[in-house]
């Protein structure tokens, strides 16, 4: 039997006052946020605004996975880290930030790279996963693992002056009974190692990651509180140079190797840790 969550404290009532008077959230929505566990892959450019707004919103439990340390060049866009955090693990820096912003949020840090050995165990703890990693191999691994674990995924990516995000729920069907698409329906083949330039080569506009990461946090809150229409089957594209948003629709592909007519991926054994 589900237990009734404890009422919000007087401090929480004041902290979340603007949510509580919002018709789309209110008390039930705030309780849903407090009851949720969200796994965030990466505490960098996209992870920073995601962590900021989810902690501020009162997500009950945040699990953050990152094996990197803070460098001076991160600070132009990774706004949860400070100059005095340079050289520290990003997870440690992120935990201090969350505790200072909202002590009601339980935060757990995993200071190791997500890979085939730990992906399923991490994802199985979560109600929803957000992937803000900068590695194609990680994106494919996380999306496959979320599909196999039947956990919703919001995945985002940025270029030098553009970004994208989508929501994946391939474990459920749409209103017409058709399978929802997987990440591999949208991007069937993983790019070859080294084929995508790193931001150290192309550059990165710092505020761009704030826009895309904040949109990821917004979609997370909508999913948890069941507000409006999400991005399942839709890829949101953002062109920062010309300030344009476009939405492309995509659907389930019978040729995708994960949930297509002839699936070839049934576990994570095909993935190799990078």
């Amino acid at each position: 039997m589900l237990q009734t969550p404890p009422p919000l404290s007087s401090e929480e009532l004041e902290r979340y006052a603007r949510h509580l008077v919002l018709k789309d959230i209110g008390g039930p929505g705030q309780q849903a946020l407090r009851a949720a566990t969200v796994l965030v892959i990466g505490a960098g450019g996209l992870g920073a605004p995601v962590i900021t707004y989810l902690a501020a919103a009162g997500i009950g439990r945040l699990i953050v996975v990152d094996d990197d340390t803070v460098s001076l060049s991160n600070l132009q866009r990774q706004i949860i880290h400070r100059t005095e955090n340079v050289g520290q693990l990003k997870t440690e820096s992120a935990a201090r930030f969350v505790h200072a912003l909202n002590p009601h949020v339980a935060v757990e840090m995993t200071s190791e790279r997500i890979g085939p050995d730990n992906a399923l165990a991490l994802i199985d703890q979560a109600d929803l996963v957000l992937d803000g990693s900068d590695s194609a191999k990680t994106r494919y691994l996380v999306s496959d693992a979320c599909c196999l674990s039947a956990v919703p995924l919001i995945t985002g990516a940025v270029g030098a002056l553009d970004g994208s995000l989508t929501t994946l729920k391939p474990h459920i069907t749409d209103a017409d009974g058709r399978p929802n698409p997987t990440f591999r329906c949208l991007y069937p083949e993983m790019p070859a190692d080294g084929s995508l330039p790193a931001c150290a080569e192309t550059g990165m506009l710092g505020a761009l990651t704030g826009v895309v990461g904040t949109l990821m946090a917004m979609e997370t809150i909508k999913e948890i509180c069941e507000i409006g229409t999400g991005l399942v089957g839709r890829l949101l594209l953002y062109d920062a140079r010309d300030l344009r948003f476009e939405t492309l629709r995509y659907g389930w592909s019978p040729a995708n190797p994960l949930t297509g007519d002839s699936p070839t991926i049934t576990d994570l054994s095909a993935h190799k840790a990078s």
Side-chain angles (χ1 to χ4, degrees), residues 205-223:
L205 184 61
L208 170 68
T209 60
V211 173
V212 177
T214 300
L215 287 169
M216 292 173 68
M218 183 69 234
E219 291 304 304
T220 302
I221 293 169
K222 285 171 55 183
E223 288 290 336

Side-chain angles (χ1 to χ4, degrees), residues 12 18 28 35 47 55 79 133 185 201 212 249 260:
E12 288 174 297
R18 300 303 185 271
I79 56 172
S133 63
C185 296
E201 302 171 13
V212 177
R249 292 191 176 275

Side-chain angles (χ1 to χ4, degrees), residues 180-263:
N180 282 327
T182 72
F183 189 75
R184 290 177 181 269
C185 296
L186 185 59
Y187 302 110
E189 296 185 11
M190 187 187 308
D193 289 343
S195 62
L196 299 177
C199 69
E201 302 171 13
T202 62
M204 175 71 64
L205 184 61
L208 170 68
T209 60
V211 173
V212 177
T214 300
L215 287 169
M216 292 173 68
M218 183 69 234
E219 291 304 304
T220 302
I221 293 169
K222 285 171 55 183
E223 288 290 336
I224 293 170
C225 296
E226 300 181 348
I227 301 171
T229 303
L231 285 173
V232 174
R234 299 193 298 154
L235 178 68
L236 180 63
L237 303 173
Y238 171 54
D239 178 350
R241 184 187 297 278
D242 296 321
L243 191 53
R244 293 187 302 181
F245 285 92
E246 296 181 58
T247 304
L248 302 180
R249 292 191 176 275
Y250 65 99
W252 176 80
S253 169
N256 87 77
L258 193 63
T259 61
D261 289 339
S262 301

